[in-house]
Amino acid sequence: MRCARDPVVGASGDLVECVGTVVDITERKRAEEKLGESERRFRLLVESIPHHVWSFRPDDTVGYWNQRLIDYTGLTPEEIQAGGWAALHPDDVVRVKAAWQEAWVNGGAYEMEQRIRGRDGHYRRFVCSAVAVKDEHGRPAEWFGTDTDVEARRQAEEALHKAQAELAHVARVTTLGELTASIAHEVNQPLAAIVTNGQASLRLLSRSKPDIDEAREALESIIADSLRASEVIKRIRALLRKTGPAKSRLNINEAIREVIAFTAGELKKNHASLVTELAPDLPTVIGDRVQLQQVMLNLIINGNEAMNSPDLQTRELLVRSQRTGPDGVLVIVKDTGTGLDPNDRERVFDAFFTRKEGGLGLGLSISRTIIEDHGGKLWATSNEGPGVSLQFLLPPASKTNDEQN
Amino acid sequence: MMSKTNQVVFVVDDDASMCTAISRLLGAVGLEAQMFPSGQKFLASKLPDVPGCLVLDVRLPGLSGLDLQQEMFARGIHYPIIFITGHGDIPMSVQAMKAGAVEFLTKPFRDQDLLDAIRLAIRRDRAARKHRAELSKLRERLDSLTPREREVMTLVVTGMLNKQIALELGTSEKTVKVHRGQVMHKMKADSLAGLVHMTDKLGIEFTGLGGIGLKS
């Protein structure tokens, strides 16, 4: 109850009477308590949730930082009021400011991954997102946002990528080891031509009437073949190198042709013929040359091995590249082999799945990882005729990860 | 040095550089060469009817070297084959030699080894052609004999006298004499020994009572 006494003064200044009022303030008190309670709960919520919570005003001043954020950055209230950018990584400043500009203009949501410095001086990565509360004119009046710590997650992703790269390297080396005989043949071919050309030149020059022109052509062939042999060695070295992801613009057809040169011997050994249909006007792709060649190597060898069976009538491997969609690239490796059990169509991409004796079963699983890292897709379909088609799609250059140089 | 037009070496190798190098080598010693990147292309081409041989890579796309050898045999293409290979194909070499190849060389080979093999192969091919031509002529002559004349011939070359032949065939000695004369004339044999050679070449023999057969 609220009691109040209001004195009433007469004309002469003497107290005439007192008017008293008694108001039942029970309801109001209850409401105030509830509000206080609600405020406490709300504060508890905002302080306890495992994210930074903050607000930000048009004049670049900070409206609110929750305790977690204050504790993380270790900034003083003065430093905080000086500007919310204090703990932002200097290399992220440009990016973040640009994104804020955008958000202010559009009034839409803000979301950016940025690095924020902790009180220990180390930066951690956070996903920062905010929404605007608009004024009566529909313009953003204040932004309310959270930061979520994703540092641990990013480190785990990086470790995973590193492990995948190691595995891919191992698989690559193993595959190349299996191809040794073929590769030796690829080097031996130009060497044999060099020897024959050399011997021919000697004969041409020791005639009573030496054929200098023909001997010169023989020498030119010798040079070309020497370069051919060293190219093979160079390509093998490139494939054997342990590479970090190194994406660049590449001509997929050229990459495919190089791989075909490695596998020609294997196909011939199997009495298989190779048909290539490489579209001439393919869009440029952004990708890691070594990794994509690893995928091609894997698909071609798999296709060849699928045609191992002695009672096969035709052994033909088709390698086709074509444009797909606006600027994507589709590559198909089609065999005429023993075919795929419908149940296995997805299982073949599982790690360690193999129907091959002595096989590791890693090739397709690694290939799929590589293609998906490129933003693409790899899948298998049964042909209308005999055999299987393995196809992968690479997205247009604009949609993939940024080119690294 | 042999003239360029009366023999040819067919070089079949899918490695264009090797094909050209071998051609160049052959050209340097006055041998004419024709190049093919595959067995199919070789079989599809119109082959000149001159003595020659094949220099063939064992591993080819599509039709393998050994398959080509078999296919040629089936089609009655008789060129002798020299195999070359970039692999250390020992078992394949045995198989190839058993199938009648002249030589099996591994790359890189000595130029003299290839040239020697080619010369041997062409010599064999000339001899084989001569033999086939002769045989063909003899067959023509054989076909011109009547059945009775053939019977008489078969018995003549065993050394039987006309009298014996007449008894064997149930006819008169005079008839036998006439048939015998026709045989000598149609077969263009100038002596009994000559006729015997011919029947040997043709593989005809007397297989016994009432039988005339061809040597298997």
Side-chain angles (χ1 to χ4, degrees), chain A residues 181 185 188-193 195-197 199-200 203-204 207 214 217-218 221 225 228 265 268-269 271-273, chain B residues 13-15 17-18 21-22 24-25 27-30 57 59-62 64 86-87 107-112 115:
Chain A
H185 179 252
N188 199 41
Q189 289 285 74
L191 284 179
V195 169
T196 303
N197 270 318
Q199 291 169 333
R203 283 174 188 269
L204 289 164
R207 274 177 168 177
E214 193 65 29
E217 281 186 33
S221 296
D225 281 328
R228 184 157 60 117
K268 268 194 271 182
K269 219 195 293 188
H271 301 300
S273 64
Chain B
D13 194 327
D14 64 324
D15 187 300
S17 191
M18 191 67 210
I22 293 177
R24 192 171 278 134
L25 177 67
V29 297
D57 191 316
R59 300 257 177 112
L60 292 170
S64 77
H87 304 256
K107 299 176 186 175
F109 41 75
R110 279 179 57 237
D111 56 346
Q112 196 58 50
L115 293 173

